[in-house]
Amino acid sequence: MRPLLSHFDPEMSVNSGQVFLWEKRDRAWYGVHADRIVKFSRHDGGFDFETFPESRGTEREIFRLDDDSESIAAEITRDPFVQRLVSAYPASGL
């Protein structure tokens, strides 16, 4: 079990449609990514992440945690319409 970034909320991603076909059972979310079964659950104010078979970095790949969100936001907000949307619905961690 590995903790996810403290500023990242995978439940928001799953519920927003960023990733698909996840199922919540009790307090944990389960999904499939490539050849792995993936599980994450809330724990001590953050989230724990597991894969089977075990694989390091899968969470970074699934949720694109290594993307440069600041440069992406700077690029897309050059459009006035998108700027208004981003201002109205700010994402945590940007």
Side-chain angles (χ1 to χ4, degrees), residues 23-85:
E23 186 173 322
K24 188 170 186 178
R25 300 256 175 150
D26 297 320
R27 299 178 60 156
W29 284 91
Y30 295 86
V32 175
H33 181 72
D35 60 348
R36 296 174 200 97
I37 297 169
V38 180
K39 173 187 174 187
F40 70 83
S41 55
R42 191 175 295 275
H43 180 71
D44 292 335
F47 291 89
D48 288 328
F49 189 87
E50 299 177 71
T51 61
F52 179 82
E54 187 174 339
S55 174
R56 296 261 177 222
T58 301
E59 65 275 22
R60 302 195 80 71
E61 182 181 324
I62 292 171
F63 297 110
R64 300 186 61 160
L65 298 177
D66 293 324
D67 285 4
D68 184 348
S69 57
E70 288 181 18
S71 72
I72 293 168
E75 181 68 27
I76 66 173
T77 55
R78 287 200 248 172
D79 179 280
F81 178 73
V82 175
Q83 170 60 44
R84 287 192 308 272
L85 292 173

